[in-house]
Amino acid sequence: MAKFSFAQDSSLQFIKTLPGSFSYFTVDNLDNIYLLTTGNQLKKININGDSLGVYNDVRTYGQLVSVDVSNPLKILLYYRDFSSIVELDRLLGVLNTVNLRTQNIFSVRAVAASYDNNIWLFDEGDRELKKIDDNGNVLLATVDFGLLFDSVPSPARVIDRDGYVYLYDPNKGFYIFDYYGSLKNKIPFFHWKNVDVVGKNIYGFSDSTLYQYQLGSLNLVQHTLPAVFNNALQIKVSNNKVYLLKQDGLEIFSIK
C-alpha cells in the first residue's frame, strides 16, 4: 500500500479505491458513504462497499445541489432551482418534501440539518439566517444581515457543529453564529474549497494545500498535499480519513 507524506507529525495511508463514475459524494459520522453517480442515482454504501440504500429519483426537482448527512436518520437533498428540500431516511426512502416557496423563501444557496432535527438556511431575499421545521415554518431568524455587515455575504455552505452555525462565503470568509442567531465571530479565509468543520477545527482546500484552523488558536496550519491529490473532483476530511474523488472512483486514506 502506498504511503504519502502529509505533515511533520502525520501521513496518509492508502486504504482502498471504490471504483465507479461519480459526480459527488459525502460521508456521515458512521463512515457510511453517499455517492451520486453520473447517471443521477444516489447510493449509500459502507466503507467495505456493501450497499445500504439507493435513491433513484434524484432528478425529480432538477439539479441536486447538496446532500447533508449530519443526521444519518434524516438526510437532506437540496434542489436550488425548485427551492425544494427532500428528506430521506437511513435507507434512502422519502420521508418528506419541503417547498420553501410556500414560505416565500425563493433564493437559498445552501441548507443544513440543525442539531434539533430542523433545517438551517440563509434566505438571500430577506438577508437572514433562518431555522425552519419540516413544514417550512420559520422557527428562528436573525436580524437583516444588511444591518450587521457593510457587504452582505452569500453563503455557499452552512454547517451546524457543536453549538455553532458556520456560514461560508468564499469571497468573504466564515461567519459563525450561536444557536440563538447571534454573531460570535468572523474569520477572513477566502476561496477555500470543500470546507468542513470537524470538532474544533475548520478545514478547507486549494489545489495543492489543505488548510486547518483550530478555533481560538489564531494559528492557520497549511499542509502541502501529495501529487496524488492533483485533479481531484472533490476532497473531504471525515472521521480521521481523507476521501478523494477522481474520474474513476473514490480513493480513501487514513490519517496516521
Side-chain angles (χ1 to χ4, degrees):
M1 292 188 296
K3 189 172 183 178
F4 303 99
S5 175
F6 189 56
Q8 286 185 338
D9 58 351
S10 63
S11 62
L12 291 183
Q13 184 74 43
F14 177 75
I15 298 176
K16 68 186 308 179
T17 297
L18 298 175
S21 183
F22 310 113
S23 58
Y24 177 89
F25 80 96
T26 191
V27 182
D28 68 23
N29 55 16
L30 301 175
D31 269 347
N32 298 313
I33 303 166
Y34 303 76
L35 295 159
L36 181 63
T37 71
T38 52
N40 289 304
Q41 185 182 60
L42 182 65
K43 296 181 176 182
K44 178 183 179 181
I45 62 175
N46 62 23
I47 199 166
N48 297 319
D50 303 320
S51 177
L52 301 177
V54 176
Y55 179 64
N56 290 308
D57 298 325
V58 169
R59 293 305 297 268
T60 299
Y61 295 95
Q63 182 69 37
L64 179 63
V65 171
S66 66
V67 181
D68 188 299
V69 296
S70 304
N71 178 358
L73 301 180
K74 191 173 82 172
I75 298 155
L76 305 183
L77 310 185
Y78 179 53
Y79 297 86
R80 185 178 181 184
D81 291 344
F82 284 80
S83 299
S84 295
I85 301 168
V86 176
E87 301 174 350
L88 305 181
D89 63 21
R90 64 183 183 86
L91 301 177
L92 304 191
V94 177
L95 289 171
N96 184 42
T97 301
V98 183
N99 184 348
L100 300 177
R101 293 176 178 175
T102 62
Q103 299 298 323
N104 295 315
I105 299 174
F106 298 102
S107 183
V108 174
R109 290 186 67 191
V111 306
S114 69
Y115 71 98
D116 56 358
N117 213 33
N118 291 298
I119 301 168
W120 292 108
L121 57 84
F122 183 73
D123 182 344
E124 299 204 349
D126 289 344
R127 304 189 298 186
E128 296 172 348
L129 172 65
K130 294 178 177 179
K131 182 166 67 175
I132 64 172
D133 65 16
D134 288 341
N135 297 313
N137 299 311
V138 177
L139 305 175
L140 179 150
T142 63
V143 299
D144 183 336
F145 273 30
L147 301 176
L148 293 176
F149 309 110
D150 293 334
S151 178
V152 176
S154 178
R157 185 95 160 87
V158 180
I159 303 167
D160 182 322
R161 291 287 187 276
D162 302 326
Y164 297 98
V165 184
Y166 299 78
L167 279 61
Y168 184 63
D169 180 334
N171 296 312
K172 295 183 172 66
F174 288 92
Y175 298 76
I176 305 175
F177 292 80
D178 65 20
Y179 285 159
Y180 302 100
S182 298
L183 179 68
K184 307 305 291 184
N185 202 356
K186 182 177 181 297
I187 305 174
F189 295 149
F190 307 132
H191 308 303
W192 286 7
K193 303 174 184 177
N194 302 303
V195 299
D196 211 339
V197 180
V198 182
K200 296 296 183 181
N201 290 287
I202 297 177
Y203 291 94
F205 293 86
S206 68
D207 291 338
S208 60
T209 305
L210 164 63
Y211 301 102
Q212 179 182 359
Y213 175 75
Q214 185 174 0
L215 293 166
S217 70
L218 302 178
N219 183 31
L220 176 64
V221 179
Q222 301 184 44
H223 304 283
T224 299
L225 295 172
V228 70
F229 281 63
N230 293 346
N231 302 316
L233 301 177
Q234 187 184 345
I235 306 171
K236 185 174 180 66
V237 176
S238 180
N239 307 324
N240 288 319
K241 298 181 183 67
V242 176
Y243 297 80
L244 182 67
L245 182 61
K246 291 198 164 184
Q247 293 285 356
D248 56 353
L250 182 69
E251 298 180 1
I252 305 173
F253 302 83
S254 63
I255 302 175
K256 298 294 187 180

